[in-house]
PDB file of all heavy atoms in Angstrom:
ATOM      1  N   PRO A  87      -0.383 -92.836  19.581  1.00 90.00           N
ATOM      2  CA  PRO A  87      -1.035 -91.530  19.365  1.00 90.00           C
ATOM      3  C   PRO A  87      -0.116 -90.605  18.579  1.00 90.00           C
ATOM      4  O   PRO A  87       1.069 -90.458  18.911  1.00 90.00           O
ATOM      5  CB  PRO A  87      -1.263 -91.020  20.788  1.00 90.00           C
ATOM      6  CG  PRO A  87      -1.319 -92.235  21.636  1.00 90.00           C
ATOM      7  CD  PRO A  87      -0.369 -93.216  21.005  1.00 90.00           C
ATOM      8  N   GLU A  90       1.707 -84.154  17.977  1.00 94.00           N
ATOM      9  CA  GLU A  90       1.111 -82.856  17.661  1.00 94.00           C
ATOM     10  C   GLU A  90       1.956 -81.746  18.260  1.00 94.00           C
ATOM     11  O   GLU A  90       2.751 -81.973  19.164  1.00 94.00           O
ATOM     12  CB  GLU A  90      -0.316 -82.767  18.212  1.00 94.00           C
ATOM     13  CG  GLU A  90      -1.271 -83.824  17.666  1.00 94.00           C
ATOM     14  CD  GLU A  90      -2.676 -83.640  18.200  1.00 94.00           C
ATOM     15  OE1 GLU A  90      -3.128 -82.482  18.326  1.00 94.00           O
ATOM     16  OE2 GLU A  90      -3.324 -84.648  18.511  1.00 94.00           O
ATOM     17  N   ARG A 105       1.031 -85.495  22.623  1.00 94.00           N
ATOM     18  CA  ARG A 105       0.265 -86.657  22.155  1.00 94.00           C
ATOM     19  C   ARG A 105      -1.059 -86.703  22.899  1.00 94.00           C
ATOM     20  O   ARG A 105      -1.154 -86.285  24.045  1.00 94.00           O
ATOM     21  CB  ARG A 105       1.007 -87.973  22.415  1.00 94.00           C
ATOM     22  CG  ARG A 105       2.420 -88.025  21.921  1.00 94.00           C
ATOM     23  CD  ARG A 105       2.973 -89.436  21.942  1.00 94.00           C
ATOM     24  NE  ARG A 105       2.600 -90.212  23.125  1.00 94.00           N
ATOM     25  CZ  ARG A 105       2.659 -91.537  23.199  1.00 94.00           C
ATOM     26  NH1 ARG A 105       3.022 -92.250  22.164  1.00 94.00           N
ATOM     27  NH2 ARG A 105       2.345 -92.172  24.303  1.00 94.00           N
ATOM     28  N   ARG A 106      -2.084 -87.231  22.239  1.00 93.00           N
ATOM     29  CA  ARG A 106      -3.372 -87.454  22.902  1.00 93.00           C
ATOM     30  C   ARG A 106      -3.341 -88.857  23.492  1.00 93.00           C
ATOM     31  O   ARG A 106      -3.649 -89.839  22.809  1.00 93.00           O
ATOM     32  CB  ARG A 106      -4.525 -87.281  21.917  1.00 93.00           C
ATOM     33  CG  ARG A 106      -4.624 -85.872  21.361  1.00 93.00           C
ATOM     34  CD  ARG A 106      -5.742 -85.752  20.347  1.00 93.00           C
ATOM     35  NE  ARG A 106      -5.723 -84.451  19.715  1.00 93.00           N
ATOM     36  CZ  ARG A 106      -6.344 -83.368  20.177  1.00 93.00           C
ATOM     37  NH1 ARG A 106      -7.049 -83.456  21.302  1.00 93.00           N
ATOM     38  NH2 ARG A 106      -6.271 -82.219  19.547  1.00 93.00           N
ATOM     39  N   GLU A 107      -2.978 -88.940  24.751  1.00 90.00           N
ATOM     40  CA  GLU A 107      -2.830 -90.241  25.385  1.00 90.00           C
ATOM     41  C   GLU A 107      -4.163 -90.718  25.951  1.00 90.00           C
ATOM     42  O   GLU A 107      -5.186 -90.064  25.760  1.00 90.00           O
ATOM     43  CB  GLU A 107      -1.721 -90.161  26.435  1.00 90.00           C
ATOM     44  CG  GLU A 107      -0.378 -89.790  25.777  1.00 90.00           C
ATOM     45  CD  GLU A 107       0.806 -89.833  26.710  1.00 90.00           C
ATOM     46  OE1 GLU A 107       0.605 -89.898  27.941  1.00 90.00           O
ATOM     47  OE2 GLU A 107       1.942 -89.783  26.209  1.00 90.00           O
ATOM     48  N   ALA A 110      -5.654 -88.107  28.767  1.00 89.00           N
ATOM     49  CA  ALA A 110      -5.648 -86.686  28.416  1.00 89.00           C
ATOM     50  C   ALA A 110      -4.424 -86.400  27.564  1.00 89.00           C
ATOM     51  O   ALA A 110      -3.501 -87.226  27.490  1.00 89.00           O
ATOM     52  CB  ALA A 110      -5.622 -85.830  29.691  1.00 89.00           C
ATOM     53  N   PRO A 111      -4.374 -85.237  26.935  1.00 93.00           N
ATOM     54  CA  PRO A 111      -3.148 -84.886  26.192  1.00 93.00           C
ATOM     55  C   PRO A 111      -1.962 -84.789  27.138  1.00 93.00           C
ATOM     56  O   PRO A 111      -2.102 -84.436  28.314  1.00 93.00           O
ATOM     57  CB  PRO A 111      -3.488 -83.517  25.583  1.00 93.00           C
ATOM     58  CG  PRO A 111      -4.973 -83.434  25.600  1.00 93.00           C
ATOM     59  CD  PRO A 111      -5.414 -84.212  26.793  1.00 93.00           C
ATOM     60  N   PHE A 132      -5.231 -76.056  23.497  1.00 85.00           N
ATOM     61  CA  PHE A 132      -4.652 -77.198  22.792  1.00 85.00           C
ATOM     62  C   PHE A 132      -5.551 -77.684  21.658  1.00 85.00           C
ATOM     63  O   PHE A 132      -5.068 -78.105  20.608  1.00 85.00           O
ATOM     64  CB  PHE A 132      -4.397 -78.333  23.784  1.00 85.00           C
ATOM     65  CG  PHE A 132      -3.773 -79.560  23.181  1.00 85.00           C
ATOM     66  CD1 PHE A 132      -2.403 -79.621  22.964  1.00 85.00           C
ATOM     67  CD2 PHE A 132      -4.543 -80.655  22.807  1.00 85.00           C
ATOM     68  CE1 PHE A 132      -1.811 -80.742  22.402  1.00 85.00           C
ATOM     69  CE2 PHE A 132      -3.959 -81.780  22.241  1.00 85.00           C
ATOM     70  CZ  PHE A 132      -2.589 -81.814  22.045  1.00 85.00           C
ATOM     71  N   ASP A 133      -6.845 -77.627  21.858  1.00 84.00           N
ATOM     72  CA  ASP A 133      -7.778 -78.143  20.856  1.00 84.00           C
ATOM     73  C   ASP A 133      -8.274 -77.073  19.887  1.00 84.00           C
ATOM     74  O   ASP A 133      -9.118 -77.359  19.041  1.00 84.00           O
ATOM     75  CB  ASP A 133      -8.983 -78.791  21.546  1.00 84.00           C
ATOM     76  CG  ASP A 133      -8.612 -80.100  22.229  1.00 84.00           C
ATOM     77  OD1 ASP A 133      -7.890 -80.893  21.607  1.00 84.00           O
ATOM     78  OD2 ASP A 133      -9.026 -80.309  23.386  1.00 84.00           O
TER      79      ASP A 133
END
Side-chain angles (χ1 to χ4, degrees):
E90 300 183 39
R105 308 192 319 161
R106 297 178 187 272
E107 299 186 346
F132 181 82
D133 289 316

